[in-house]
Structures are given as C-alpha cells and as structure tokens.
Amino acid sequence: MTKKQIDVFLALAELGSFSDAARHVGLSQPAFSLSIQRLEDAMRMKLFQRTSRTVFLTTEGLHFLPLARNLMQGWESTFAQMSNVAAIRNGRVAVAALPSLAAGMLPDVVTHFAEKHPLVQLEIRDVLHGNVIELVRSGQVDFGISVDPSTDLDIDFKPLLHDRMVAILRKDHPLAHQETVSWEVLSTEKLIVMTRATSVRSLTDRAFAKAQITPHITMEVDQLATISGLVQVGYGVSALPSLCLPVVARPDLTWRSIVNPEAERSLGLLTRRRHDLSLAANAFLDEIYQIVPNGVFSAFRDHIRFESDAQPAVQRSR
C-alpha cells in the first residue's frame, strides 16, 4: 500500500466517478483504475462496487474509509512536524556546563536563542566536570561545556576559549597594589579554595605543584559565591580561573594575574564521539559562537582568549 494509492482511494470515494477522480489526482483513467486494482489486490478485498453509471463503496470500503483518512492525516502531520524540526520551530536542546560557565556564559545565549526559537525546550544542567562527562556520554544532554577530558576516548573535545588563573583580592589588600601576583607570594596568604571535587581545585593544585610550593589553605568551599563573600569580608584571598570573574565580582573586590608560572586552562565543547547534533543543538551552538566573545566575558579579554574558528570537534584516536 502506498500513499498514492490512498490518495486515489479517497478521491474515488468522494467523487464516485473514475474519470472525475482520475482528473482530480492527475492520472490517466487507465493508470487510475490500475492503482485501485493494485490497492484492492494488496488488501485482498473489493473496496468499490462498480455499475454502468456509478461507483460506490463496499462494506469493506466503508470500513476502510475512516482508516484511510487517518492514514493521510498522520502522514501530513508527520511531514508538518518534521518541517517544524527543520525550521527549528520545536525540539529540545539540553546542555551540561560547569556552574561558572552556566552562570556567566549561558544566560545571554539562552535569551537570544529563546527569542529566535520560542517553542524549543531548553535544559541547562549546571554540574561539576565529572557529571558533565557522564551526561554527555549517556546522551542525556546534546553537548557539554567544560575542560578537556583528555583521557576519555568516548568524548570529542573542541576548544572554545582559554582562561588564566587570577588572584581574587579586596581592593584594600596590599597585593591589590601590584600588577601581578606570584604563586609564591600567594602561598603566604590565607587561601580560600574550592573543594577537591571541582575542576577549579584541580587547576589550583597543579599550579602550586608546578611552582613547587605548598599553599596555606584556610578553607575549602563548594560555591564560588561563598569565596566571593569570604574574600569581601577579609577572611582571606583566593585563586580562580578568570571565567569565574562575572560570578564572584563585587564592588569591594579586584583581581590580579598570577605569574611564575602562569596557569591557563582550555574549555570547550564536549560531544559524544560519532554522534551528530540535532538542528536545534547546532543552532544553539551558533548562538554561543556569536554571543559569547562579545558578551559578559568581553570585559575580561586580558585574561580570556577566544578561539577564532569553528572547525569540527577534534576526534581522539584509539
């Protein structure tokens, strides 16, 4: 049974004339009659009773008529829905991102995307790096935004931007009068850091290890806002990636680049290997590339470097 045969059946059922129905569907009368015959053969029953003057539905044809109409409506509805998908008029986009990126990078992107595609459902999962990887690997999200999972062969990573570590200080702190701060000097201060489960803490620990320095850690916290509040009241200082600045910035706080050595990380897009993104997810990525370099992070260009290209994600060889 084909869609064309259903078209032919419905035309004949409505018009009751082979010649009129054939003209309606744009077929010659012999081709039209053959289509009806093949439909009846496929269904192994007569659908029409023919007389010298008219054509009318058999009992079986009357039973099939509403089913045929439902078939056509379902067919047309399917193509209409797929047309909406192609035009990104509906669908779903799910993204997992580090909390600092979800709070600093994505709000502007979400706003612009929602204005263009108001019926597309958006889901943002602000989670730690390990959870980003798991959500991407399991297919629960379209893509993630995090640091490079260099040891995970199931994930493709495409760099999006790079940021450097900065010292978070009160404006009246003595170190705020310097242009830069070294890790050695920072190690003498009461240091407030993120917990070991975070990618930020991993970066901090690697930087101190590279400088062969043991820091004076006075407190570990889970949230960037807590670091911001503790530094503001003078409890200590902190070292954070510059992408965290939109989240921790307060009127009484400032930041300085940390040197000797400089610590930089790459952040980018994480996707499942050999899995293409949906049209809606690709449209969301387009918004990221257009908006993020000129958005909230543009005020911190001295510490954040954006990738200028948009080449396909790097695939890892096994």
Side-chain angles (χ1 to χ4, degrees), residues 136-193:
V136 172
R137 185 190 291 116
S138 65
Q140 295 181 61
V141 297
D142 294 288
F143 61 88
I145 309 176
S146 187
V147 296
D148 185 357
S150 55
T151 60
D152 196 314
L153 298 177
D154 294 325
I155 303 293
D156 288 336
F157 177 77
K158 175 187 174 183
L160 179 64
L161 46 79
H162 312 267
D163 69 343
R164 295 197 298 269
M165 294 288 286
V166 294
I168 309 298
L169 313 162
R170 279 179 56 95
K171 288 184 176 179
D172 58 1
H173 193 284
L175 295 180
H177 301 293
Q178 302 180 190
E179 291 187 3
T180 60
V181 177
S182 70
W183 290 103
E184 183 177 5
V185 170
L186 202 62
S187 68
T188 64
E189 299 287 332
K190 294 167 60 179
L191 195 64
I192 307 163
V193 298

Side-chain angles (χ1 to χ4, degrees), residues 33-221:
S33 299
L34 181 61
S35 184
I36 290 292
Q37 179 183 334
R38 287 177 174 171
L39 177 60
E40 291 179 328
D41 290 343
M43 300 186 70
R44 299 179 182 180
M45 64 183 69
K46 285 290 185 182
L47 300 174
F48 294 96
Q49 184 69 46
R50 301 158 178 82
T51 68
S52 58
R53 294 185 177 182
T54 187
V55 179
F56 56 90
L57 289 165
T58 63
T59 300
E60 292 77 16
L62 287 169
H63 184 78
F64 181 58
L65 181 60
L67 301 177
R69 287 172 175 158
N70 287 338
L71 279 172
M72 290 304 297
Q73 289 173 359
W75 183 273
E76 292 167 358
S77 174
T78 296
F79 272 88
Q81 290 181 47
M82 293 310 297
S83 177
N84 285 336
V85 170
I88 316 179
R89 286 191 288 265
N90 57 27
R92 169 183 174 271
V93 178
V95 180
L98 296 177
S100 58
L101 300 180
M105 174 192 295
L106 294 184
D108 285 344
V109 177
V110 167
T111 300
H112 282 80
F113 182 85
E115 289 175 353
K116 295 179 180 178
H117 311 287
L119 299 182
V120 175
Q121 179 185 353
L122 291 173
E123 179 182 344
I124 305 298
R125 306 285 298 273
D126 50 341
V127 293
L128 298 179
H129 176 65
N131 298 113
V132 173
I133 293 176
E134 184 54 37
L135 289 169
V136 172
R137 185 190 291 116
S138 65
Q140 295 181 61
V141 297
D142 294 288
F143 61 88
I145 309 176
S146 187
V147 296
D148 185 357
S150 55
T151 60
D152 196 314
L153 298 177
D154 294 325
I155 303 293
D156 288 336
F157 177 77
K158 175 187 174 183
L160 179 64
L161 46 79
H162 312 267
D163 69 343
R164 295 197 298 269
M165 294 288 286
V166 294
I168 309 298
L169 313 162
R170 279 179 56 95
K171 288 184 176 179
D172 58 1
H173 193 284
L175 295 180
H177 301 293
Q178 302 180 190
E179 291 187 3
T180 60
V181 177
S182 70
W183 290 103
E184 183 177 5
V185 170
L186 202 62
S187 68
T188 64
E189 299 287 332
K190 294 167 60 179
L191 195 64
I192 307 163
V193 298
M194 301 289 286
T195 56
R196 293 186 182 277
T198 64
S199 62
V200 171
R201 176 61 182 276
S202 297
L203 181 63
T204 304
D205 289 347
R206 287 197 303 270
F208 275 114
K210 187 175 181 179
Q212 298 182 336
I213 295 170
T214 300
H216 176 204
I217 295 176
T218 188
M219 185 174 291
E220 297 182 349
V221 301

